[in-house]
Amino acid sequence: MATISRPAPALPAQATRAARPRWGARLAPYGYLAPFFVLFAAFGLFPLLYTAYVSLHRVELQTADRMDWLGLQNYTRLFEDPFFWNALRNTFTIGVLSTVPQLLLALGLAHLLNYRLRGRTFFRVAMLMPYATSVAAATLVFAQLFGRDYGLINWVLAGVGLSPVDWQADTWASQFGVSAIVTWRWTGYNALIYLAGMQAIPGELYESAAMDGASRWQQFRHVTVPGLRPTIIFTVVVSTIGASQLFGEPLLYEGNAGGGISHQYQTLGLYMYEQGWSFFHLGRAAAVAWVMFLLIVVLALINAAIAARRNRTDR
Amino acid sequence: MRPFRARRTTAAVGSAALAATMLLTACSSGTAGSKDNAGGDGKVTLTIDLFGTFGFKETGLYDEYMAAHPNITIKQTDTQDEGQYWQALQTKLAGGGGLADIQGLEVGRIASVVQKQADKFADLKTLGLGGVNDDLVPWKGAAVRTADGKVLGAGTDIGPEAICFRTDLFKAAGLPTDRTELAAKWSSWDGYLALGKQYVTKAAGGSAPEGNKWTDSAAGMFTAEVGQEKVRYADESGKPVYDKSPAVQTAWANSTKLVADGLSAKLPQWTPEWNKAFSTGKFATLSCPAWMIGYIKGQAGEAFAGKWDIAAGPGKTGNWGGSYLAIPRSSKHQKEAAELIKWLNAKEQQAKLFTKQGSFPSSTGAQAAIKTVKDPYFNNAPIGEIFSESAANMPAQVLGTDDGVIGKAFTDALGEVERTGTAPATAWQHALDNIKKASGN
């Protein structure tokens, strides 16, 4: 062993001292990360794999202890089900209807908040209020506003001589209604993210732009937006994932899992819930869950690819 | 430096181990803790989970029971919409948690419970309630007995049908308000639709409130009419016949005609909009199973007392709804729950529920006792007489496992017809698709 070797007794001690902490230093981060991964394995990975297992079986909630092997039948059935495609289409249209105005509004609001104005802390906190409101509370209020017979919005429409809209039964109107709730809840949240990004843009850029005679709008277009590009990509990714999982708002809009009488605003999340908890077909619900999961992975990859290309062309 | 770091590592490992043991002990202490729920002093809290309005609380039956049994506290939770209630109940039954000591069950779900979930509910016979359904109309008790003779629930009320109508609106439209005369005029569904047409023409002409419709929704009429035939959605052998049965087809034809004639206020039942319409007056008539009386009083409130009236309904008489009380196997107070059920369902209490709340008793003893009841809220209508007559002539319905799902699919499709202008044939196809999606495997 090293300790017996002559030349310098101090050396081995030094060596061990150097080696030991390095071991510890190398392991410690894993130790600190371990709780997350243990929890992830228990509450993330295991359910994911178990869902995959369930999706290959016929399982009914009412007789959940019985599982019959089906292979991929739940998946093939799914792709033959017009209601699945309907839900996919709705998820996309509601996603676009809510994400695009939401991010544009957020960008505009952030730009305004970035000016020196009185009481801006108040405005910034106010921005976050809708986000802090629970989905249930927000949706219930909006469902009242969008009521056909007694809703405020139809009352206003009638006041200016327009005919009332059935915000729940009509396809586009109901999708707009659901999107309005999503937009209302998330605009402020995104605005604050943009604001943080904007404050990282050096003030000199604005000053020199102003000196060159750029108007506020030109400053916004040529300084702010390019400077915010990574932030914008981030919010687009997060909002896209959020939109593809949209569930609470459409569920509570009329209070049932069907997503309207003609399923006109049934999203994928609702479709899954309906399969599992209205019709009690747990196996099929599990198959939907996996398809949704894969869909989100694909969306994230596409986003990442676009972002990577953007960055490459930038530099 | 070294010892410090070492201590940190052990600390981390130690806290992880501690967290793990805490998780484990948390689980075990949970089960141990719930056992002594009964408490050392013999006090028991009984939980009851219901849908709609059973009326036990409203008529003060719980208070009466608790006064007589000081060791019992009763806590009720309820969901207005039975569809949501059923969904939550199924989730709880599958997970085995969150169940109350007593759960209400709707008659449309009872075949499903008996055939698929008999092992989830206590056999009332083993709790000394074998005879709890003996006094009831025969089909009511038979529906909740399993093939091997278990009794899974105790029958509370049944839903004999009639029509509730607003005398003030009828008067304004120049229609007769005498309930016998009206019953004769709408002795058939055709007669009901014809009178409705007369009503909305008057409304359009200004002699009745503008925009006021004949009835709340096509769904209400459909459900009432389909409930008047013995075979509706499944035949006696349990085979689904919902797409061919004459009951469904004629009810569908009549309800779509109702929409085409512009008689529906297009209000989906059990929604906030519908509830609100009771106090603003959007419709003049409503298909009224007995339990609807309590619902109307609750929604319309005292301001409308005396403005409502009841007359015998169109067509043959039928049954819409009605309920059972059951005890989940997981209940820790099955004995006490059984005693409470026995008392709540005794004929004295059933009679009281009808008198105060309108829930029509399934107990024949109570039925005999309420024949002369009149309801001041409904213009002193002889509700005892009207509903007894209706109950005496109703058919013994065949109940199928998917009745609830099928009924909802058809009423949803009618909602499409009236609210989005979907062609009846297309909506009919939607209903069939939805039923296949929900029940098919």
Side-chain angles (χ1 to χ4, degrees), chain B residues 379-409:
Chain B
N379 215 5
N380 274 321
I383 56 169
E385 196 187 310
I386 292 171
F387 286 117
S388 296
E389 182 79 7
S390 174
N393 297 315
M394 65 163 68
Q397 268 163 7
V398 178
L399 302 172
T401 47
D402 290 324
D403 282 4
V405 171
I406 297 170
K408 184 177 182 299

Side-chain angles (χ1 to χ4, degrees), chain B residues 246-266:
Chain B
V248 175
Q249 282 178 339
T250 46
W252 178 268
N254 276 333
S255 331
T256 49
K257 186 158 182 290
L258 175 94
V259 179
D261 288 349
L263 307 186
S264 164
K266 307 177 181 182

Side-chain angles (χ1 to χ4, degrees), chain A residues 20 62 150 255 277 281 284, chain B residues 2 84 87 90 280 438 440:
Chain A
R20 273 284 198 75
Q62 290 169 305
Y150 312 104
W277 283 269
H281 305 320
R284 264 184 249 170
Chain B
R2 186 147 66 102
Q84 287 175 16
Q87 209 170 314
Q90 290 307 314
T280 52

Side-chain angles (χ1 to χ4, degrees), chain B residues 220-273:
Chain B
M221 177 173 162
F222 176 84
T223 313
E225 195 177 345
V226 102
Q228 298 184 340
E229 298 292 338
K230 184 163 188 268
V231 172
R232 302 180 297 170
Y233 305 134
D235 68 9
E236 282 95 337
S237 65
K239 202 169 74 83
V241 292
Y242 55 83
D243 51 342
K244 295 183 284 287
S245 89
V248 175
Q249 282 178 339
T250 46
W252 178 268
N254 276 333
S255 331
T256 49
K257 186 158 182 290
L258 175 94
V259 179
D261 288 349
L263 307 186
S264 164
K266 307 177 181 182
L267 291 159
Q269 297 198 317
W270 317 113
T271 60
E273 298 235 309

Side-chain angles (χ1 to χ4, degrees), chain B residues 323-337:
Chain B
S323 308
Y324 294 88
L325 295 177
I327 304 176
R329 283 272 289 275
S330 63
S331 161
K332 300 213 165 52
H333 309 296
Q334 298 190 6
K335 201 168 63 70
E336 291 86 350

Side-chain angles (χ1 to χ4, degrees), chain B residues 236-424:
Chain B
E236 282 95 337
S237 65
K239 202 169 74 83
V241 292
Y242 55 83
D243 51 342
K244 295 183 284 287
S245 89
V248 175
Q249 282 178 339
T250 46
W252 178 268
N254 276 333
S255 331
T256 49
K257 186 158 182 290
L258 175 94
V259 179
D261 288 349
L263 307 186
S264 164
K266 307 177 181 182
L267 291 159
Q269 297 198 317
W270 317 113
T271 60
E273 298 235 309
W274 187 63
N275 291 341
K276 219 176 279 175
F278 281 97
S279 50
T280 52
K282 279 261 167 193
F283 48 85
T285 69
L286 180 67
S287 282
C288 245
W291 45 260
M292 194 73 93
I293 290 182
Y295 198 84
I296 294 177
K297 286 181 193 168
Q299 294 299 332
E302 272 315 305
F304 285 82
K307 290 184 176 164
W308 284 93
D309 206 326
I310 303 180
K316 298 176 265 185
T317 58
N319 184 60
W320 176 353
S323 308
Y324 294 88
L325 295 177
I327 304 176
R329 283 272 289 275
S330 63
S331 161
K332 300 213 165 52
H333 309 296
Q334 298 190 6
K335 201 168 63 70
E336 291 86 350
E339 276 162 25
L340 175 59
I341 287 183
K342 190 174 182 184
W343 185 81
L344 285 175
N345 272 15
K347 63 178 186 207
E348 295 78 20
Q349 276 64 251
Q350 285 208 359
K352 195 173 202 173
L353 273 169
F354 180 75
T355 312
K356 288 198 178 171
Q357 190 72 17
S359 302
F360 194 80
S362 54
S363 144
T364 49
Q367 284 177 8
I370 51 94
K371 286 231 159 74
T372 57
V373 170
K374 293 188 174 173
D375 193 329
Y377 190 93
F378 285 83
N379 215 5
N380 274 321
I383 56 169
E385 196 187 310
I386 292 171
F387 286 117
S388 296
E389 182 79 7
S390 174
N393 297 315
M394 65 163 68
Q397 268 163 7
V398 178
L399 302 172
T401 47
D402 290 324
D403 282 4
V405 171
I406 297 170
K408 184 177 182 299
F410 280 119
T411 49
D412 276 359
L414 285 170
E416 272 190 273
V417 174
E418 59 190 0
R419 293 172 71 199
T420 64
T422 309

Side-chain angles (χ1 to χ4, degrees), chain A residues 20 25 32 60-62 77 83 147-150 166 169 255 261-263 273-274 277 279-281 284, chain B residues 2 5 8 84 87 90-91 94 112 117 265-267 273 280 282 415-416 419-420 434 437-438 440-441:
Chain A
R20 273 284 198 75
Y32 297 136
E60 300 292 307
L61 183 71
Q62 290 169 305
R77 281 192 70 110
F83 293 104
R148 184 194 58 187
D149 293 336
Y150 312 104
D166 193 337
I261 39 176
S262 332
H263 309 280
Y273 181 75
E274 191 188 34
W277 283 269
F279 303 152
F280 311 134
H281 305 320
R284 264 184 249 170
Chain B
R2 186 147 66 102
R5 180 164 297 198
R8 278 262 291 258
Q84 287 175 16
Q87 209 170 314
Q90 290 307 314
T91 313
S112 169
Q117 295 179 311
K266 307 177 181 182
L267 291 159
E273 298 235 309
T280 52
K282 279 261 167 193
E416 272 190 273
R419 293 172 71 199
T420 64
N434 277 326
K437 181 167 76 139
N441 278 305

